[in-house]
Amino acid sequence: MRALSPQQLINGQWTSSGTEVFSALNPATHNPLPESFFEATEAELNSAVAVAGEAFEILQEYGYSERAALLDCIADKLVAHQAVIVQRAMQETGLPEGRLNGEMGRTCHQLRMFASVLRAGDWLHLTLDSALPERQPPRPDIRLMPVPLGPVAVFGASNFPLAFSTAGGDTASALAAGCPVIVKGHPAHPGTAALVAEVIAEALAESEMPAGCFALLQGRSPALSQKLVAHPGIKAVGFTGSLKVGRILFDIACQRPEPIPFYGELGSSNPVFLLSHALGLRGEAIAQDFVASLTLGCGQFCTNPGLLIAVKGEALEQLKAQLQELIPAQPWQTMLTPAIAANYEQQLASLKLQQGVEVLAEARPGHPDQSHGHACILRTSARDWLANPHLEEEIFGPCSLLVECDSHKQMLQVARRLNGHLTATLQGETADQQEAQPLVRILMNRVGRLLYNGYPTGVEVCHGMQHGGPYPAATDSRSTSVGANAIQRFVRPVCLQNLPDGLLPVALKASNPLNTSRTVDGQLKVTD
Amino acid sequence: MRALSPQQLINGQWTSSGTEVFSALNPATHNPLPESFFEATEAELNSAVAVAGEAFEILQEYGYSERAALLDCIADKLVAHQAVIVQRAMQETGLPEGRLNGEMGRTCHQLRMFASVLRAGDWLHLTLDSALPERQPPRPDIRLMPVPLGPVAVFGASNFPLAFSTAGGDTASALAAGCPVIVKGHPAHPGTAALVAEVIAEALAESEMPAGCFALLQGRSPALSQKLVAHPGIKAVGFTGSLKVGRILFDIACQRPEPIPFYGELGSSNPVFLLSHALGLRGEAIAQDFVASLTLGCGQFCTNPGLLIAVKGEALEQLKAQLQELIPAQPWQTMLTPAIAANYEQQLASLKLQQGVEVLAEARPGHPDQSHGHACILRTSARDWLANPHLEEEIFGPCSLLVECDSHKQMLQVARRLNGHLTATLQGETADQQEAQPLVRILMNRVGRLLYNGYPTGVEVCHGMQHGGPYPAATDSRSTSVGANAIQRFVRPVCLQNLPDGLLPVALKASNPLNTSRTVDGQLKVTD
């Protein structure tokens, strides 16, 4: 593997024409890292999009199995260079080695999962309606399959330098769908991005696929991000980040002369409801597991549990006492960037000032180092919570708000007042099921994932996962950025009417050459 | 059936609090029809949305089979009242009885198709990943199913008073998905809307389902439409109409504090490519069939063939001569509204003035009656067409532009320059397949449906149909308003993690009570 490049990767070449540079910072030490990265210019952006458009047409001449092989090849190469990449990511994010090795495992798993999805073929949802020449009017032969949307812009996430950045879930699903990808690297970890981009370029070369299928643009300027989303050659966007930035880019995507899908995964406060028997029987375990979920990765997950909802009583008082023991013992952790740490402190300070909100437990506040974050649990009454919509908003970091309800009925009121969230969680026992039933109904209309007796952090990458929830948790609740269905974001269906077999794409030919499932005249048929 | 009501239908009651009224016009006679319809007020809009929100929660307690029975019941009642409804639609649209009876058949077919989709269950795409308690970390039990989005606003279409209006495809698919529907009736056919709305209200009552599941708001005011799309209680919109109005409403949907999906079917000019052997062998039949498709319904279909593309030569000269014989013999037809007729005349006049465009054949121009439209075919060179993007725009009416190419290579250039269209069509023979191959590849990236040896008008309602194409043909090319997949527009996936069987919705319970297909651990499994 060649040394880390400070330039842009365009059409398989590292290049730079700009003069502005920026450096990454080691958040654990506050020291800038030595390399100076070039800020991408508008000309470089245009060039990357132009070659992606050319690569898009060529890429469609490759089969699904060739795309699958590319994804496997990227995963193989990431594993081969794992040590170097993880070392760099540690320097740029302050995340521990174990976590980054785990994230690399997840990244490779995602790439290989999409490869297996491509090979299995069910994702195509092929649908055939036979011609009925005798009917009046005659029914034509109708065949339906997905086609890729075109070049996709992917924004690297601050909190997943591997699994939701350069070769992360969005890149993997877009390439799987047949779309070239232009990654805008997150400015907090440009070196990690450069190393991973080099891996992808090598995999494209080795697979003899167009180099224009992947580009990396580096930069800190919001204008670069905005121009990328506005570029007429970009046909969809994958974004993981804040509601504020996500909404700005979403608005640009919608206001283009040709609007495009914008898949923004924006986060939420992920309410956890404690039902009475669970709270009574295992409050101590709940307190421990909750704090573990809250402080994992210094709370820097979009599924972090930022709301805890329970009915007042003796059991809740015991839980509060346990939280008051556990939280002060939580160590300060390095946050991803000084800006994230400062923002966390500021939002936490603002939350403390809200009517009816008080601190329940806090880990040694006032740590002198501005790059670190500390755990905090606050409390309020359901009445105050219901009166103040700000108390539902996500705070990115290890803090959570306990909402104390007077009754189960009031808990249902709280549930009904929720806006969109990525997740909601119930802690319950068998004896709680009657209380749980209405909550399940209410919450299914407000979240993307509903958990029972688990905690929302640690999102499984599998076929049935759903990551996005109703706005403001995500900009498009009909899609997911995690799991096998993420590939569906980057395709659209095309209907082929009466095409002769010789002109049909291989997936739709009469002999079913891909040997995949098809819905024929309304009947779903699976092959052996 | 009770007499036509001039009021709004809200929560099963005909009601009106407003003072503004409007009448429908018989476009064939230019006479206003006697009834005065009340323009819906903002209070009525708010009331309809509020009861729809309540109905939404109740509707989710009904099973899929009960929703299916409702759709069948609506279809049965439409058939029972077909004569009255069709008579009224004739007066309000000028469309002939045969066409409207056919459209009623299509409307009922759509309702029954969604009923059968609900009963079959494959549309749910149920996905289950088994728990792996031994794995480190353990994998939870993950189950995925769709849930409805919430109350849906549907805009009646001018050109389909039945099949894309009050009980049309959007209403049928939204109700099938479990979403209450608020129809904004098209002001050109308020009486038809009122009669059909009464049928739906009766079907809801007979099915003992909440009356709030359906509302009809009448009005001509753009502000009413805009307020409906902007209302926070509306969670998705189905629209069929012009690019201009569709884009205004799309922008409102995107700019809301909570953006919502806006499914706008906006139309296109639907290019038809003539390949050389087809043109040489059966130019006469092509001329006849093309003119029949062009003039069907006075060209008032979003799939009307507004572009005809062929390579210059003897065969094309013969085709042009045939068009010059056929077109002048086409009768004038009543258009849907005087505004549509005036707009058609104006756009046609503007097209005639474009650089390099000339009239090839025209049916007696200058008809004195401003409600009628006449067929016209114009011609231009590919060179002039490539230089002027306006020549690709849809004109809603029976006119088409012949684009004469110097070569097959130039025809490919024209194809590459196309923006999004609902359809493209190839006329070809076996000997044309080599010429057709690159066109198929290019056009699949630019349309929602590609036809071979057919004509784009007459859209089949079946499982594999795709109606929407890339923008500006539709606002969301990932979805369709025609065919079984239209139900997918109004749902989003929800993941249930580790829920005990007692809390799982029936579709996801271990015993598979719906006996429907499921993907289990990545394997698609079909039941008998």
Side-chain angles (χ1 to χ4, degrees):
Chain A
M1 192 174 187
R2 52 167 285 171
L4 182 161
S5 168
Q7 300 179 297
Q8 326 307 326
L9 177 69
I10 299 171
N11 211 15
Q13 304 296 318
W14 291 99
T15 171
S16 59
S17 58
T19 51
E20 275 189 63
V21 294
F22 69 102
S23 302
L25 190 82
N26 184 330
T29 63
H30 265 228
N31 292 327
L33 294 163
E35 299 81 0
S36 284
F37 291 87
F38 288 94
E39 182 98 17
T41 64
E42 192 164 353
E44 285 161 349
L45 164 60
N46 291 338
S47 161
V49 178
V51 293
E54 289 161 26
F56 174 61
E57 300 230 353
I58 302 167
L59 188 54
Q60 286 175 75
E61 290 170 29
Y62 288 78
Y64 303 117
S65 61
E66 289 164 296
R67 284 192 223 154
L70 170 68
L71 297 174
D72 281 340
C73 180
I74 296 172
D76 291 344
K77 286 182 179 292
L78 285 174
V79 171
H81 300 292
Q82 176 158 347
V84 176
I85 296 167
V86 164
Q87 283 304 312
R88 178 73 195 189
M90 284 170 68
Q91 292 171 16
E92 291 184 328
T93 64
L95 292 171
E97 186 168 9
R99 146 73 195 265
L100 287 167
N101 277 321
E103 196 181 320
M104 182 62 98
R106 177 178 166 153
T107 308
C108 294
H109 170 60
Q110 290 174 156
L111 288 156
R112 295 192 212 279
M113 177 189 68
F114 287 113
S116 78
V117 163
L118 287 173
R119 291 194 181 101
D122 300 318
W123 76 281
L124 296 163
H125 296 309
L126 301 175
T127 306
L128 291 77
D129 294 301
S130 315
L132 298 174
E134 311 297 319
R135 199 195 64 174
Q136 276 313 318
R139 183 168 88 175
D141 178 281
I142 295 283
R143 296 168 193 239
L144 190 75
M145 66 175 290
V147 292
L149 293 179
V152 169
V154 169
F155 286 82
S158 64
N159 61 341
F160 280 101
L162 303 172
F164 279 89
S165 288
T166 314
D170 289 353
T171 297
S173 51
L175 287 175
C179 298
V181 171
I182 296 174
V183 169
K184 161 65 182 63
H186 195 284
H189 39 74
T192 311
L195 291 170
V196 174
E198 173 70 18
V199 161
I200 299 175
E202 286 176 12
L204 280 168
E206 198 169 305
S207 308
E208 297 181 355
M209 292 171 92
C213 287
F214 180 81
L216 171 68
L217 301 177
Q218 305 267 28
R220 287 183 308 178
S221 143
L224 177 65
S225 299
Q226 294 170 14
K227 281 178 186 151
L228 181 58
V229 173
H231 197 294
I234 294 295
K235 299 303 181 187
V237 182
F239 173 89
T240 307
S242 69
L243 173 58
K244 191 180 153 199
V245 175
R247 183 68 198 238
I248 291 168
L249 296 178
F250 169 82
D251 288 343
I252 292 171
C254 294
Q255 287 160 15
R256 293 163 42 122
E258 178 198 4
I260 53 171
F262 181 90
Y263 301 107
E265 300 290 323
L266 310 177
S268 63
S269 55
N270 304 299
V272 176
F273 292 83
L274 305 183
L275 297 174
S276 56
H277 290 86
L279 181 57
L281 276 173
R282 48 182 175 84
E284 197 170 331
I286 287 173
Q288 282 170 355
D289 295 342
F290 182 83
V291 170
S293 176
L294 179 69
T295 57
L296 187 74
C298 200
Q300 298 166 115
F301 292 112
C302 44
T303 55
N304 197 54
L307 282 174
L308 183 62
I309 298 144
V311 176
K312 287 174 189 163
E314 183 50 37
L316 182 56
E317 290 308 311
Q318 284 183 27
L319 181 89
K320 285 158 72 177
Q322 277 143 359
L323 293 173
Q324 283 172 325
E325 267 183 43
L326 290 166
I327 288 291
Q330 298 301 312
W332 286 69
Q333 297 178 67
T334 307
M335 295 195 87
L336 292 157
T337 70
I340 286 173
N343 207 32
Y344 174 62
E345 289 299 328
Q346 189 192 325
Q347 288 187 285
L348 184 55
S350 160
L351 179 57
K352 288 175 182 173
L353 296 175
Q354 300 293 309
Q355 171 78 36
V357 172
E358 52 196 47
V359 172
L360 178 70
E362 190 161 17
R364 299 169 293 144
H367 191 288
D369 178 341
Q370 294 304 310
S371 276
H372 287 67
H374 70 288
C376 182
I377 295 188
L378 305 100
R379 64 154 298 283
T380 194
S381 68
R383 192 173 155 178
D384 283 319
W385 188 88
L386 288 165
N388 184 353
H390 291 302
L391 301 186
E392 188 181 350
E393 289 166 5
E394 181 192 25
I395 294 181
F396 195 67
C399 99
S400 193
L401 177 63
L402 169 64
V403 180
E404 299 185 38
C405 304
D406 294 328
S407 62
H408 182 65
K409 197 178 152 195
Q410 199 178 36
M411 182 184 269
L412 295 181
Q413 260 185 291
V414 169
R416 274 184 208 287
R417 233 290 312 284
L418 290 169
N419 288 310
H421 287 260
L422 294 176
T423 72
T425 300
L426 302 182
Q427 291 291 335
E429 293 295 310
T430 309
D432 290 314
Q433 287 206 11
Q434 208 177 337
E435 281 193 354
Q437 204 85 57
L439 272 173
V440 168
R441 275 203 297 271
I442 294 166
L443 294 172
M444 279 181 73
N445 286 326
R446 284 157 180 82
V447 305
R449 179 166 56 114
L450 180 62
L451 299 88
Y452 194 81
N453 291 348
Y455 291 90
T457 47
V459 182
E460 184 69 30
V461 178
C462 58
H463 290 84
M465 181 45 62
Q466 169 62 26
H467 190 258
Y471 192 89
T475 55
D476 190 339
S477 68
R478 298 161 296 169
S479 70
T480 183
S481 65
V482 180
N485 287 336
I487 192 174
Q488 303 293 346
R489 296 176 299 167
F490 301 117
V491 294
R492 64 180 178 86
V494 167
C495 172
L496 300 173
Q497 181 168 327
N498 277 347
L499 258 70
D501 211 60
L503 287 176
L504 281 170
V506 65
L508 288 175
K509 284 188 193 291
S511 63
N512 193 6
L514 298 182
N515 192 35
T516 190
S517 61
R518 299 172 166 200
T519 297
V520 179
D521 297 327
Q523 287 281 311
L524 178 58
K525 296 187 180 182
V526 174
T527 54
D528 299 326
Chain B
M1 193 174 188
R2 51 167 286 171
L4 180 162
S5 169
Q7 301 180 295
Q8 324 308 326
L9 177 69
I10 298 171
N11 210 17
Q13 304 295 317
W14 291 101
T15 172
S16 59
S17 59
T19 51
E20 274 190 62
V21 294
F22 69 101
S23 302
L25 190 82
N26 184 329
T29 64
H30 264 228
N31 291 326
L33 293 163
E35 299 81 1
S36 285
F37 292 87
F38 286 93
E39 181 97 19
T41 64
E42 191 164 353
E44 285 162 349
L45 163 61
N46 291 337
S47 163
V49 178
V51 295
E54 289 160 27
F56 174 60
E57 299 231 351
I58 302 167
L59 188 55
Q60 285 175 75
E61 291 170 28
Y62 289 78
Y64 303 118
S65 61
E66 290 164 295
R67 284 192 226 155
L70 170 69
L71 298 174
D72 280 341
C73 180
I74 297 172
D76 291 344
K77 285 181 180 294
L78 285 174
V79 170
H81 299 294
Q82 176 158 347
V84 176
I85 297 168
V86 164
Q87 282 305 312
R88 179 74 196 189
M90 284 171 68
Q91 291 172 16
E92 291 184 329
T93 64
L95 292 171
E97 187 168 9
R99 146 74 195 266
L100 287 168
N101 277 321
E103 195 180 323
M104 181 63 98
R106 177 177 166 156
T107 307
C108 295
H109 171 59
Q110 289 175 156
L111 288 157
R112 295 200 163 102
M113 177 189 67
F114 287 113
S116 77
V117 164
L118 286 173
R119 291 194 181 100
D122 299 319
W123 75 281
L124 296 163
H125 296 308
L126 301 175
T127 307
L128 290 77
D129 293 302
S130 314
L132 299 174
E134 312 297 320
R135 199 195 66 174
Q136 277 312 318
R139 184 168 86 175
D141 178 281
I142 295 282
R143 295 168 193 241
L144 190 75
M145 65 176 288
V147 292
L149 293 180
V152 169
V154 169
F155 286 81
S158 64
N159 61 340
F160 280 101
L162 303 173
F164 279 89
S165 288
T166 315
D170 288 353
T171 298
S173 51
L175 287 175
C179 298
V181 170
I182 296 175
V183 168
K184 161 64 180 63
H186 195 282
H189 39 73
T192 311
L195 291 170
V196 173
E198 173 70 19
V199 161
I200 298 175
E202 286 175 13
L204 281 168
E206 199 170 304
S207 309
E208 297 183 352
M209 292 172 93
C213 286
F214 180 80
L216 171 67
L217 301 176
Q218 304 267 28
R220 288 184 306 180
S221 142
L224 177 66
S225 299
Q226 293 170 14
K227 281 177 187 154
L228 181 58
V229 173
H231 197 294
I234 294 295
K235 300 303 180 186
V237 181
F239 173 90
T240 307
S242 69
L243 173 59
K244 190 180 155 198
V245 175
R247 182 67 197 238
I248 291 169
L249 296 179
F250 169 82
D251 287 343
I252 292 172
C254 294
Q255 287 160 15
R256 294 163 41 122
E258 178 198 3
I260 53 173
F262 182 90
Y263 301 106
E265 300 291 322
L266 310 178
S268 63
S269 56
N270 304 298
V272 176
F273 292 83
L274 307 183
L275 297 174
S276 56
H277 290 86
L279 181 57
L281 275 173
R282 49 184 174 83
E284 196 170 332
I286 287 174
Q288 282 170 356
D289 295 342
F290 181 83
V291 170
S293 176
L294 177 69
T295 57
L296 187 72
C298 200
Q300 297 167 112
F301 292 110
C302 44
T303 54
N304 198 56
L307 282 175
L308 183 61
I309 298 143
V311 176
K312 288 175 190 164
E314 182 51 37
L316 182 56
E317 291 308 313
Q318 283 182 26
L319 181 90
K320 284 159 72 176
Q322 277 142 1
L323 294 172
Q324 283 172 325
E325 266 182 45
L326 290 166
I327 288 291
Q330 298 301 310
W332 286 68
Q333 297 179 66
T334 307
M335 295 197 85
L336 290 158
T337 69
I340 287 174
N343 207 33
Y344 175 62
E345 288 300 327
Q346 190 193 322
Q347 287 187 286
L348 184 55
S350 160
L351 180 56
K352 288 175 181 172
L353 297 174
Q354 301 294 309
Q355 171 79 37
V357 172
E358 52 195 48
V359 173
L360 178 69
E362 191 162 15
R364 299 169 291 144
H367 190 287
D369 178 344
Q370 293 304 309
S371 276
H372 286 66
H374 70 287
C376 182
I377 295 186
L378 305 98
R379 65 154 297 284
T380 193
S381 69
R383 190 175 158 176
D384 283 319
W385 188 88
L386 287 164
N388 184 354
H390 292 302
L391 301 186
E392 188 181 350
E393 290 166 8
E394 181 192 24
I395 293 181
F396 195 68
C399 98
S400 194
L401 177 63
L402 169 64
V403 180
E404 300 185 39
C405 305
D406 293 329
S407 62
H408 182 66
K409 197 178 155 198
Q410 198 178 36
M411 182 183 267
L412 295 181
Q413 259 186 295
V414 169
R416 275 183 206 285
R417 233 289 312 283
L418 289 170
N419 288 311
H421 287 259
L422 295 176
T423 71
T425 301
L426 302 182
Q427 291 291 336
E429 294 293 311
T430 308
D432 289 314
Q433 287 205 13
Q434 208 178 337
E435 282 194 352
Q437 205 84 58
L439 271 174
V440 168
R441 275 204 297 272
I442 294 166
L443 294 173
M444 279 181 72
N445 286 327
R446 284 157 180 82
V447 304
R449 179 166 56 115
L450 180 63
L451 299 88
Y452 193 80
N453 291 348
Y455 291 90
T457 48
V459 182
E460 183 70 28
V461 178
C462 58
H463 290 84
M465 181 45 62
Q466 170 62 26
H467 190 258
Y471 193 90
T475 55
D476 190 339
S477 69
R478 297 160 298 169
S479 71
T480 182
S481 64
V482 180
N485 286 337
I487 191 173
Q488 304 293 345
R489 295 176 299 166
F490 301 117
V491 294
R492 64 181 177 85
V494 166
C495 171
L496 300 172
Q497 181 168 327
N498 276 347
L499 258 68
D501 211 59
L503 287 176
L504 281 170
V506 65
L508 288 175
K509 284 185 193 295
S511 64
N512 194 4
L514 298 182
N515 192 37
T516 190
S517 60
R518 299 171 165 200
T519 297
V520 179
D521 296 326
Q523 285 283 311
L524 178 58
K525 295 186 179 183
V526 174
T527 55
D528 299 326

